[in-house]
Amino acid sequence: MKNLILSLLLIGLLGLFGASGASALEKRIALVVGEASYRAKPLATAANDAGLIAQTLQAAGFDVTGARDLDGDALRKAFVDFLDKASSSGPETAAFIYFSGYGLQLEGENYLVPIDASIARDTDIPMRAARVSDFLKPLAALNLKTTVVVLDAARENPFALSGQPIAGGLALSEPPPNLLLAYNAAPGTIAPVEAGPYGAYAHALAEMIRAGGMPLTQVFEETRLRVSEVSKGGQIPWNSKAGGAFMFLERTAQAPNQGYDAALQSKPISQLSPADAYTACVQRDTLQGYQDYLAAYPTNPQAKRVRAMLAARREALFWRRARTMDTPGAYWSYLRRYPHGPHYWDARRRLEDRAVAMEPPQGFEPVDMGYPPPPPEEIIYVDRPVLYFADPVFGFAPPPPAPIYFLPPPPPDFVVLAPPVVFGAAYVLPVPVFVPMPVYVTPPPFIAPPPPNNIFFANIHNAVVVNPVAQNFVVSNPQGHILSTGALTAVGAGAAGLAIGASLPHFLGKQPAAAPVAPGTGLAPRHVLPTNPPTPTPGAGALGAHVVSPGAGSHFQPGAVGAAPGAASPAKQPAPHLSPATAAPPRALSPAAASHGATPGAGSVAAPPSAGAIHAAPPAIHAAPAPRMVPPAPRMLPQAPRMLPQAPPAAMHMPTIRGGGAPPAFRGAPARGPAFAPAARPPAPRAPANDHGAH
C-alpha cells in the first residue's frame, strides 16, 4: 500500500512538471513596419529593411505581422492590434517591434511618422505622428518574458518646418528594465542617407541575429560595432541594457569558435591598446567608457571622434534629466550649460508653457543634473540642432577596424545581399532572397511552434527562391537538390498575406491602399502579381531570385522594364519584370542561396528530419503544383572576407539642412517664437530608475 501511494505521488508530480514544462514554451510574436513612400521625401531602404528583419525573425520562430507604407490611422491601429495580441499571448512571450521610417523628437518625446503625415511646423508633430510612449508604456506593463523595440528612424528631418526648430534624431529614453529599446543612431544624432538595397543597421542586425548564441544585449552591441565599421564611424547605433537569458538562435556543439575574447573585452580601457580601447568604448557605449578613453589616450587620432560621441551623449543625458525634473530650474540649468544646444528651443517651449521668464533670476545656481558639466572643448559638437558623425567639417580620422576578438567577420554569403522581391499588392513587405543559415545554428527547442506557413523557420538551412512570374517558390538544400515547391498565397481583401512573407495585419484588407509615390522619387517600381501568369519559356529570360537566365547576347539590367533583351514573351501578355527594390546594382548571391530549377508539378515535400538536420517545407503550404521553371544562371560576384564599407558617393551621403550647407550653430539671442499648443502637449515622462548609457 505504501509503495502504491508513493507511485501515485510520483505520477502526479511527473504530470505536474510535464504540464508546467508544456506551458513554459516561449511564444514569439513580432510587428514589423517599413515606411518608405513618404510624400515629403521617400526612403530607398526602409521597406526593404523591414522585409529583411521580418524574414530573419520568421527564421528565428517569430509569428511576424508586417506591413509597409501605412498611413497615420493604420500605423496606430497596427500598434493597438499588436498590444492586444501581446496581452493575450501570456507571460511566456517574447515580443519584438521593428519600425523603419522617419522619427522625430519634440520636448523629450519620440514620434514615428506615417507616410501621409503633413507636418508644416513643430506643433503638428504630436497630432500627425505616433508617439512612441503611447505603445511603449503599455507594452512594458504586460511584463512579458522579453520585449524588444527597435526604432530604425533616426534620420534627416524631411520636413521644412516653420515656427520653432526641433532637435535632430531621437531623444534618449529610459525604458523600463524589462524592455530593450534600440535606435539606429545615437540619441541626438542621425544616420547618413543610404541608397540600398538595405540599410547598414538592418543588415547588421539581421547578421547578428542569424549568428546565434548571443544574449540579447550582445546582439545589439555587435550590431553597433558592425554599423560603425561599415559606415566608417558615421553612424553609431544605441540600445538600452536588458537582463534575462533571451537568445534568438542557438549554436550547437559543432559550431566553430567565433574568436571572441571575453577576458580581453572586460578589461579596463586604460589597459587596452589604442585600437582595442576605441573598439571597447564603442561597444560599451557609455559616458564613462568614452571618458576613460579620453583619459587614457587624449592625443590619439581617435580622441577627437570619441569627444564628439561623448559630447552627444552628455547633452542627451542633460536634456533627459531636465525633462524628467520638468521644473523651471532644470530648464534654466540646461540653457546655462548649452546656450546653443540642440534642445534650446525645447527648453524654451517648456518655460513658455509655464508662463515663466526665459532668463533665470539674478544669482541663480544651476541645478545638479547628476553629470559633470560639459567642458568647453565639447561644445563645438553640440552647438547645433543636429549632429552627424560623418560631417566633414569635423575632420575626423577614419576609425580603426574592429579586431576579430571583438567582432568576427561576417559570413561570406551575408556580406552583400541581392535586392528583395517587391510585390505590387498593397502593404505587403518586400521578400529578400533567403540566405540559408549554417547547420550548426538552430532555433531554441523551448519555443512554441510558429504558424505553419512560416516557410523560413521550416527551411532555416535551405535555399528558398521566390518566382513571382510563376507565383511559386522553390526550396532546395545546400547540395542543390529540390526539396519542394509551392504556390504563393493570393493577396487581396481579407487575405493574410503572402505565405512566403510576414502576415498582414487583419484590418488592412478593409482599407484602401495609401496613395502611391510619384515616379522618379527614388523608390523602385513594385512588381504586380498577374492573375494569369504566363508560363516561362526556355531561353526566354525566365525570372528567378532577381536573376534572369541570359539568352543569346543578353544579361540582366537592374531597373529595366520587361523581360531580358531578346527574350520572347507570350503574345499580348508579356512576362512582368521582377524589380529590384532599389536602383542600386544587384548584390551577389551566395552559392548556397543560388536558385535551382524545378520539375513541373514538383509538389512533393520531404518529411522533416530530426532536430539539427535540414528541414523541408511543411505540406500545408503547397496547395498547387508549380508551373515549369527554367533554372536561372546567377551571376556571381567575388565575396569579400569582411563586410564591405559602403562608399559615401554611392551608398550613403551626409544629410543636409534645409537651405543647404552644414547645420548652422545657434548664435546670439534667438527670437521668441509662438507658444506650443497646450492641447497637443504630451505629459511629462516618468522619473528614470537609472541612466542607460551613463555608467
Side-chain angles (χ1 to χ4, degrees):
M1 187 66 176
K2 184 176 181 181
N3 290 338
L4 177 61
I5 295 174
L6 290 175
S7 299
L8 292 173
L9 287 173
L10 180 60
I11 292 172
L13 288 173
L14 289 174
L16 177 63
F17 286 127
S20 169
S23 65
L25 287 177
E26 179 181 281
K27 187 173 182 180
R28 297 183 165 189
I29 60 174
L31 173 66
V32 177
V33 177
E35 300 282 61
S37 301
Y38 285 96
R39 297 173 182 173
K41 185 178 180 182
L43 289 171
T45 71
N48 298 353
D49 293 340
L52 179 62
I53 296 301
Q55 183 186 81
T56 304
L57 293 174
Q58 282 185 294
F62 281 79
D63 175 9
V64 181
T65 301
R68 63 173 292 168
D69 295 339
L70 301 180
D71 61 21
D73 290 341
L75 181 62
R76 292 180 179 87
K77 178 65 173 172
F79 286 132
V80 171
D81 277 15
F82 186 75
L83 284 171
D84 291 342
K85 185 175 183 178
S87 178
S88 62
S89 295
E92 294 297 322
T93 298
F96 192 108
I97 292 179
Y98 173 86
F99 174 90
S100 182
Y102 285 115
L104 301 173
Q105 63 161 304
L106 181 70
E107 298 187 38
E109 293 278 3
N110 291 317
Y111 295 85
L112 304 181
V113 183
I115 62 166
D116 65 334
S118 178
I119 298 176
R121 57 181 298 114
D122 55 336
T123 53
D124 291 336
I125 295 173
M127 296 180 289
R128 307 291 173 84
R131 189 169 61 179
V132 173
S133 61
D134 286 345
F135 65 86
L136 208 63
K137 291 178 181 178
L139 187 61
L142 296 177
N143 290 316
L144 303 177
K145 183 177 180 180
T146 303
T147 306
V148 181
V149 177
V150 179
L151 304 182
D152 192 349
R155 309 176 190 272
E156 176 190 9
N157 177 10
F159 302 102
L161 301 181
S162 62
Q164 299 174 341
I166 64 173
L170 298 174
L172 184 65
S173 180
E174 177 64 36
N178 63 336
L179 185 149
L180 186 144
L181 179 64
Y183 302 162
N184 65 317
T189 73
I190 56 176
V193 179
E194 298 171 297
Y198 299 100
Y201 183 72
H203 191 164
L205 180 56
E207 176 199 335
M208 300 311 164
I209 292 174
R210 291 166 51 94
M214 294 188 198
L216 185 59
T217 299
Q218 186 185 358
V219 166
F220 287 91
E221 290 175 348
E222 296 295 290
T223 298
R224 178 163 47 254
L225 290 179
R226 180 70 77 216
V227 173
S228 175
E229 177 185 69
V230 173
S231 67
K232 298 182 178 180
Q235 181 178 352
I236 308 294
W238 172 86
N239 63 274
S240 65
K241 310 303 179 187
F246 178 83
M247 196 172 292
F248 289 98
L249 296 164
E250 294 182 343
R251 293 171 71 89
T252 67
Q254 290 72 39
N257 188 344
Q258 293 178 286
Y260 289 113
D261 188 336
L264 186 145
Q265 292 185 27
S266 62
K267 284 185 177 181
I269 285 179
S270 60
Q271 297 180 17
L272 300 174
S273 68
D276 287 355
Y278 176 82
T279 302
C281 75
V282 172
Q283 182 190 53
R284 298 173 191 180
D285 192 35
T286 63
L287 192 74
Q288 188 61 53
Y290 294 131
Q291 291 174 330
D292 290 346
Y293 179 91
L294 292 174
Y297 302 104
T299 60
N300 187 273
Q302 296 306 317
K304 191 175 180 181
R305 180 184 294 276
V306 173
R307 193 175 301 282
M309 293 188 282
L310 173 61
R313 183 58 48 82
R314 192 194 307 269
E315 190 278 336
L317 288 166
F318 257 78
W319 171 245
R320 194 196 68 200
R321 183 57 58 86
R323 186 65 182 86
T324 301
M325 293 179 176
D326 200 27
T327 63
Y331 297 126
W332 288 329
S333 299
Y334 174 86
L335 293 172
R336 178 72 61 87
R337 300 302 188 192
Y338 295 98
H340 310 294
H343 296 94
Y344 173 91
W345 285 101
D346 282 326
R348 288 178 60 92
R349 289 183 188 97
R350 301 302 295 175
L351 291 171
E352 192 173 54
D353 189 53
R354 285 154 176 73
V356 299
M358 296 293 114
E359 296 296 329
Q362 188 173 4
F364 171 76
E365 290 294 332
V367 176
D368 181 9
M369 295 290 192
Y371 311 107
E377 57 268 24
E378 283 186 16
I379 297 300
I380 185 177
Y381 302 111
V382 289
D383 65 348
R384 58 197 67 223
V386 59
L387 172 66
Y388 42 97
F389 296 129
D391 194 334
V393 73
F394 299 136
F396 294 142
I404 61 173
Y405 40 83
F406 275 93
L407 182 69
D413 58 359
F414 213 74
V415 174
V416 287
L417 299 176
V421 178
V422 180
F423 297 90
Y427 310 114
V428 176
L429 288 175
V431 179
V433 176
F434 183 68
V435 179
M437 298 186 194
V439 293
Y440 51 77
V441 175
T442 62
F446 51 79
I447 64 174
N453 66 343
N454 186 341
I455 189 173
F456 301 114
F457 179 77
N459 291 281
I460 189 172
H461 303 130
N462 299 324
V464 181
V465 179
V466 180
N467 188 312
V469 175
Q471 297 193 70
N472 74 346
F473 57 85
V474 178
V475 178
S476 53
N477 64 17
Q479 290 73 41
H481 301 141
I482 301 296
L483 297 179
S484 61
T485 64
L488 297 178
T489 302
V491 178
L498 293 175
I500 200 70
S503 299
L504 288 173
H506 68 87
F507 66 88
L508 286 181
K510 303 176 182 179
Q511 293 193 180
V517 73
T521 54
L523 293 185
R526 300 184 188 178
H527 176 83
V528 180
L529 287 176
T531 305
N532 298 304
T535 301
T537 306
L543 293 174
H546 304 279
V547 182
V548 175
S549 298
S554 67
H555 70 282
F556 178 65
Q557 295 288 346
V561 178
S569 300
K572 299 182 181 181
Q573 195 173 12
H577 172 68
L578 172 59
S579 301
T582 71
R587 298 188 175 190
L589 290 171
S590 68
S595 55
H596 303 281
T599 304
S604 60
V605 182
S610 59
I614 295 172
H615 298 282
I621 300 177
H622 313 299
R628 186 172 185 272
M629 294 175 58
V630 176
R635 176 173 173 265
M636 301 302 299
L637 299 180
Q639 300 287 1
R642 294 187 67 82
M643 179 171 285
L644 301 177
Q646 302 184 36
M652 60 175 63
H653 65 272
M654 291 184 306
T656 55
I657 302 302
R658 295 282 176 179
F666 289 138
R667 300 297 182 191
R672 176 167 176 157
F676 185 75
R681 181 172 305 284
R686 67 177 180 83
N690 62 341
D691 290 322
H692 289 306
H695 304 296

